[in-house]
Amino acid sequence: MTTPVCPFVKASRPDETSLKKCPFGFDSSSTTTAAATNDKNNKPSQPHKKQQSPSPSPAVIEAKCPFGYDSQKLKIGPLSCVICQALIFQCSRCVPCSHAFCKGCISKFNDCPLCGADIEKIEDDEKIQSLVDRFIEGHARIKRTQEIDSNNTENNKEEGVAESPKNKTVIYEDVSLERGAFLFQHAMRAFRAQNMESAKSRLSLCAEDIRDQLEKMGNTSELCSQLGAVLGMLGDCCRATGDTTSAISYFEESVEFLSKLPRNDLEITHTLSVSLNKIGDLKYYEGDLEATRTYYFRSLNVRRDAVKDNPNVPSLILDLAVSLAKVADVDRSLGKEDVAINGFQEAIQLVEPLKLKPEETGLQKRLDSVLEFLKSQIVEKEAEATL
């Protein structure tokens, strides 16, 4: 049985030789709850247990996070907004009840979601927000190895001088990419709650950290894939707020990084083609049909290659049919009716013969929907021709 550790620290288990330290000291027996006492309401959810041994080994001390994050399962703690269930962003309190929420969340309400009191006004709480920001910096960012003077360390040991935290080497791994993708997870929570500014803030931190790693480690497949996904989500946030220019910029950068990766990963292929389609969608809304077709066609080629390498994957064939329909629809708008009809017919020839396995029945509804749409595009045109 393993000892639970704070999920935001890539801490070593008791059976490992090297220990990684929490910057707030929450993984040692001498922990103080200074961070928690910044606000009298932030009491530790599980206090430290006293050790029976007068000099316990740090390797066997059970870590207790004062915010309740002492298990592998993420919890809603006192630093979280109960509306979006993510860490508070732009912390604001309702007056008169003083309950704290994200500003973007509570601004949608006239009554407090917790107590039902009429909200007279909303006030910023910089104290709590500062604690949240410090918590993120300490638990969810890349912390590089701190360089220390090994000679001074040895001298201190010989002279009996205690080793301070300042001259210890602390390796704090990038948990925004590991341990459940902490920052990305909170961004997704905020995005689902339509708190786009919070989502953008967390995703921007993710992107910043991954860029730092890219400079340090080069364009590895893992990092490029992660950055491509994060940039795609940033594009979605900007698109949701109507910022088309920024959305296109993020999607294009996402495509740039994803294009550097080998196409043998179906998830990467799917994400790349979706990003290209999203740029095409935005160009379509801007009325630039030629640019729209260019991006749709690039997505189509990505999906053609994927189906060529994986001809028996129904989901890929459906994706390819959708891309054919998108390009055909633009061709029709450009006055190229014969080309459009050929595109719709090719898509139908791909979808009609599909036979789903029992474990693929979840795709049946999508298959029926795509096929119905494709046939309707040809039937409608034939009906127009007979008039």
Side-chain angles (χ1 to χ4, degrees):
M1 181 177 179
T2 57
T3 302
V5 294
C6 182
F8 308 144
V9 184
K10 191 179 180 184
S12 299
R13 295 291 182 180
D15 55 345
E16 294 177 343
T17 55
S18 62
L19 292 174
K20 299 186 176 94
K21 301 295 183 181
C22 171
F24 295 159
F26 296 146
D27 53 359
S28 72
S29 59
S30 60
T31 298
T32 60
T33 55
T37 55
N38 281 343
D39 179 57
K40 61 183 179 181
N41 294 324
N42 292 337
K43 296 180 180 179
S45 62
Q46 296 186 14
H48 291 273
K49 295 180 181 179
K50 293 183 179 180
Q51 302 295 323
Q52 298 298 323
S53 172
S55 58
S57 169
V60 297
I61 295 175
E62 182 176 336
K64 294 293 181 182
C65 177
F67 301 123
Y69 299 107
D70 55 339
S71 74
Q72 295 303 314
K73 184 177 180 181
L74 199 63
K75 301 176 181 177
I76 303 298
L79 302 184
S80 301
C81 171
V82 297
I83 299 175
C84 66
Q85 300 185 348
L87 286 173
I88 292 177
F89 178 72
Q90 296 178 337
C91 182
S92 299
R93 290 191 179 274
C94 301
V95 177
C97 66
S98 294
H99 289 129
F101 307 92
C102 298
K103 178 178 285 186
C105 292
I106 194 59
S107 60
K108 303 171 186 176
F109 291 82
N110 295 320
D111 301 324
C112 176
L114 285 179
C115 66
D118 292 341
I119 299 176
E120 297 177 4
K121 62 178 179 177
I122 297 173
E123 295 180 342
D124 294 340
D125 190 328
E126 296 181 358
K127 185 177 180 181
I128 292 296
Q129 190 57 55
S130 176
L131 181 59
V132 173
D133 293 341
R134 179 169 172 249
F135 183 73
I136 290 174
E137 287 298 318
H139 283 285
R141 304 296 306 278
I142 296 175
K143 301 294 180 183
R144 295 171 181 78
T145 304
Q146 296 176 1
E147 298 295 335
I148 60 173
D149 189 335
S150 58
N151 293 327
N152 287 341
T153 302
E154 292 299 324
N155 292 336
N156 286 341
K157 289 182 179 179
E158 292 175 3
E159 296 171 6
V161 178
E163 189 177 10
S164 68
K166 292 183 179 179
N167 60 14
K168 286 184 179 180
T169 299
V170 178
I171 302 176
Y172 219 26
E173 300 287 348
D174 179 13
V175 293
S176 65
L177 309 182
E178 299 177 10
R179 291 246 178 198
F182 174 59
L183 281 176
F184 193 81
Q185 185 179 79
H186 278 264
M188 290 297 293
R189 291 182 178 195
F191 184 85
R192 287 195 299 268
Q194 299 298 303
N195 189 352
M196 296 304 166
E197 293 305 316
S198 174
K200 285 167 62 178
S201 173
R202 307 314 182 206
L203 290 168
S204 295
L205 291 179
C206 280
E208 180 183 331
D209 285 353
I210 301 170
R211 291 183 198 280
D212 287 344
Q213 288 292 79
L214 283 168
E215 291 182 4
K216 181 180 178 182
M217 302 173 63
N219 291 332
T220 67
S221 295
E222 182 181 13
L223 291 175
C224 287
S225 175
Q226 290 164 346
L227 184 55
V230 170
L231 291 170
M233 276 299 302
L234 277 166
D236 287 330
C237 290
C238 293
R239 184 172 64 167
T241 58
D243 187 356
T244 302
T245 302
S246 296
I248 291 175
S249 177
Y250 280 124
F251 286 135
E252 286 180 337
E253 193 173 4
S254 173
V255 167
E256 176 187 346
F257 279 98
L258 293 173
S259 297
K260 297 176 181 178
L261 304 174
R263 302 290 174 81
N264 54 359
D265 188 319
L266 296 183
E267 186 63 31
I268 291 173
T269 299
H270 176 75
T271 304
L272 174 58
S273 63
V274 168
S275 291
L276 287 166
N277 276 337
K278 286 179 178 178
I279 300 173
D281 292 341
L282 293 172
K283 292 294 184 181
Y284 182 85
Y285 298 141
E286 290 180 346
D288 190 344
L289 294 180
E290 291 293 346
T292 299
R293 191 185 190 284
T294 298
Y295 284 103
Y296 283 170
F297 194 73
R298 286 177 63 185
S299 176
L300 173 62
N301 286 335
V302 169
R303 292 178 173 180
R304 279 193 194 280
D305 292 340
V307 170
K308 187 182 300 182
D309 295 333
N310 304 272
N312 298 317
V313 181
S315 61
L316 293 181
I317 295 173
L318 286 174
D319 285 345
L320 177 56
V322 169
S323 278
L324 284 165
K326 280 179 169 288
V327 173
D329 187 57
V330 176
D331 284 333
R332 176 172 285 172
S333 298
L334 290 170
K336 303 175 182 178
E337 186 58 35
D338 292 341
V339 178
I341 292 295
N342 289 338
F344 287 125
Q345 288 177 338
E346 182 183 354
I348 291 173
Q349 290 169 5
L350 284 172
V351 176
E352 270 190 328
L354 276 181
K355 302 295 181 183
L356 301 179
K357 298 177 182 178
E359 62 270 21
E360 298 169 337
T361 53
L363 290 173
Q364 188 64 53
K365 186 175 180 180
R366 186 186 178 206
L367 189 156
D368 294 340
S369 176
V370 169
L371 187 57
E372 181 182 358
F373 172 79
L374 293 171
K375 289 183 176 179
S376 70
Q377 297 304 302
I378 294 179
V379 170
E380 286 177 8
K381 197 60 187 179
E382 290 176 348
E384 290 177 7
T386 57
L387 295 178

